[in-house]
Amino acid sequence: MTVRRRAVLVAVVAGPLLVGCTKTADKVAPKLRLEKVWQERVVTPWAAMPGRVRLVGDALVVVDGTGTEGARVCSFTAADGAKKWVIDGKGPISVPGVGSAWLCVVGPGYLGNTTTLVQRPAVRTAGDILPVSFASAPKGTTTSGVVGVDVRTGEPVWGFRAVATPSTKRTMVTAVAESVVLATVSASFGPGWPGPTQSPTTIALDAKTGEELWREAEVIGVSGDGNSVVVVRRTAGSWHMEVRDARTGKARWTGTHQSRGPYEHQDTAADHTVLQHADRTDVDVVRLSDGKPLEFDTDTTPDVVASNPPLLVWDNGVAWWAKGPNGFVTRTLPKGPPTKGKHRPKGLEFRAAYGVGPYIWGDYRTTQESNKNDNLAGTIAVDRTGAPCSPNIKYGYLADVSETSLVIGWNDSIEVHRITTA
């Protein structure tokens, strides 16, 4: 039986929208070549590296570790691995307006030996500012907040103390918009999805100065895009999505969809922000224009990616494979009809992760119909028809990708591969 899973589309003030070419889904993209060029040891378990590394221009930013002691944030030249700067959690740093403080890497994944999923910290930049969390001491009850780091040099630019009285609560950056940083204060190394006895508070900061813009209790920041942010707000014991003006905190649209969280912000194209639940059992597409719902006619939770020219692409599951052709579903934004691709190798399931140019990066996995195409299983690029376009990497987790670099988490390290046209 086909299950209809609904992606919630959240409305804000509409702006100009780009329109992609409707023929894009039928075009076969050029083949790619991958070349491993460098690697770096990390202490973060390699399965948790997705979301902890970010390609920013020609640099790769790595947020490594958990807590304070042993944590670090560093930047490398993506092309050759040359270290540009490092903030080492083995000692304190000087934070403007705060004084001596310790880098505090909170989340992601699992906390210790518990099975509590937590919201991933947002490793994203607002202009040249990379916001990261700090604590005033390496352990125990401390104050905590956010430091804005110049992503080009690694120098702290501003500091904001969100927890002014020593506490076991910590501050985590959960969303970054064009000029605003959302930081959520919750239980130590949180937030999980807080229970009835926990009361998180989200604080919006000016990304250039660190000045507080607004704050609200019982709210968790989820994602940012342009001058809008998506949050979830607790009402009567459940959590509901809202889109707010990033700088004023004023709600532009309040949804009725109950959020189970936590979320991972996948990407944004045109006015569509894709949010995947951490356990991958549901997906929400937040449309920042008219609030109309998008429904997926599929028997499984689709892995949706946003790409440019503005498109949504997803794998629609076994129910559509049986109908054929066996490819992706591509939807041109803002209101184009779904178009099915043509070239999925039989016996393979594709989990999409990133959209870059004409390519969708993710991994093929074998199904019960395993056959000669099993050799394609692993991290790979396909075009929007589903045709394989790159060699596959049979190990590790895809952590981030751009037009020129691919980052894989593997064996207590990250590997960077150069991408060129074959």
Side-chain angles (χ1 to χ4, degrees):
M1 178 179 70
T2 298
V3 178
R4 299 181 69 84
R5 294 187 181 272
R6 181 168 176 163
V8 177
L9 303 182
V10 186
V12 298
V13 177
L17 300 177
L18 301 177
V19 179
C21 175
T22 57
K23 296 182 179 180
T24 304
D26 297 326
K27 294 181 180 179
V28 178
K31 299 293 183 181
L32 299 176
R33 179 186 295 114
L34 298 178
E35 175 192 3
K36 178 183 172 181
V37 288
W38 60 276
Q39 70 180 56
E40 171 76 10
R41 298 284 292 180
V42 294
V43 300
T44 302
W46 51 282
M49 286 311 297
R52 298 289 290 272
V53 299
R54 184 70 57 189
L55 287 158
V56 181
D58 64 352
L60 175 66
V61 175
V62 180
V63 177
D64 189 19
T66 300
T68 49
E69 295 176 285
R72 63 173 182 158
V73 176
C74 43
S75 177
F76 304 88
T77 302
D80 57 15
K83 188 172 292 185
K84 302 180 74 170
W85 54 263
V86 60
I87 301 175
D88 198 330
K90 294 179 180 178
I93 58 175
S94 179
V95 177
V98 173
S100 180
W102 293 70
L103 177 71
C104 185
V105 178
V106 288
Y110 295 88
L111 306 182
N113 295 320
T114 74
T115 57
T116 303
L117 284 164
V118 299
Q119 182 75 29
R120 287 182 182 270
V123 182
R124 296 180 182 273
T125 57
D128 293 327
I129 296 297
L130 173 71
V132 294
S133 301
F134 72 79
S136 62
K139 60 181 64 177
T141 57
T142 72
T143 62
S144 63
V146 180
V147 54
V149 174
D150 189 322
V151 74
R152 300 165 299 180
T153 65
E155 291 296 320
V157 176
W158 53 259
F160 177 84
R161 199 186 301 273
V163 179
T165 303
S167 168
T168 57
K169 291 185 176 182
R170 294 292 184 266
T171 305
M172 186 168 88
V173 177
T174 53
V176 180
E178 185 175 272
S179 64
V180 174
V181 175
L182 293 191
T184 299
V185 176
S186 188
S188 181
F189 296 101
W193 228 231
T197 62
Q198 297 173 307
S199 180
T201 295
T202 284
I203 306 170
L205 306 174
D206 184 288
K208 290 184 178 180
T209 66
E211 176 187 2
E212 180 178 334
L213 300 173
W214 55 270
R215 71 168 61 199
E216 188 169 338
E218 305 294 353
V219 167
I220 296 177
V222 174
S223 72
D225 178 38
N227 64 354
S228 301
V229 290
V230 179
V231 304
V232 289
R233 181 171 61 91
R234 178 151 50 190
T235 57
S238 60
W239 297 87
H240 293 89
M241 278 189 178
E242 291 185 347
V243 173
R244 298 189 176 195
D245 181 282
R247 298 195 66 84
T248 67
K250 182 178 180 180
R252 292 171 168 169
W253 186 91
T254 298
T256 58
H257 175 72
Q258 184 172 331
S259 168
R260 295 181 299 104
Y263 284 100
E264 296 176 11
H265 177 205
Q266 298 296 93
D267 213 338
T268 301
D271 65 340
H272 291 66
T273 296
V274 179
L275 303 171
Q276 185 87 43
H277 283 273
D279 60 7
R280 307 192 75 87
T281 59
D282 203 357
V283 65
D284 293 311
V285 179
V286 179
R287 186 158 70 186
L288 307 176
S289 58
D290 59 16
K292 294 180 180 179
L294 178 65
E295 295 184 351
F296 299 104
D297 181 16
T298 175
D299 59 341
T300 58
T301 301
D303 293 300
V304 184
V305 298
S307 185
N308 284 310
L311 295 165
L312 296 179
V313 183
W314 66 91
D315 179 329
N316 230 36
V318 177
W320 279 42
W321 302 353
K323 298 175 184 178
N326 294 325
F328 291 120
V329 182
T330 303
R331 183 166 185 155
T332 304
L333 300 179
K335 297 180 179 179
T339 302
K340 286 187 287 184
K342 301 176 181 179
H343 300 297
R344 183 201 314 281
K346 186 176 181 181
L348 297 179
E349 175 187 359
F350 189 78
R351 174 169 285 184
Y354 299 94
V356 180
Y359 304 99
I360 304 300
W361 289 89
D363 63 277
Y364 272 128
R365 300 182 181 189
T366 59
T367 69
Q368 294 90 334
E369 299 180 15
S370 181
N371 60 15
K372 63 181 180 180
N373 291 316
D374 288 357
N375 65 308
L376 293 173
T379 297
I380 197 169
V382 301
D383 63 21
R384 291 176 186 133
T385 71
C389 292
S390 77
N392 66 326
I393 300 176
K394 294 182 178 293
Y395 55 84
Y397 283 74
L398 175 56
D400 202 9
V401 64
S402 68
E403 291 184 353
T404 56
S405 299
L406 170 73
V407 187
I408 296 289
W410 168 244
N411 197 25
D412 299 324
S413 66
I414 54 171
E415 294 183 358
V416 180
H417 298 248
R418 182 181 294 121
I419 303 171
T420 55
T421 301

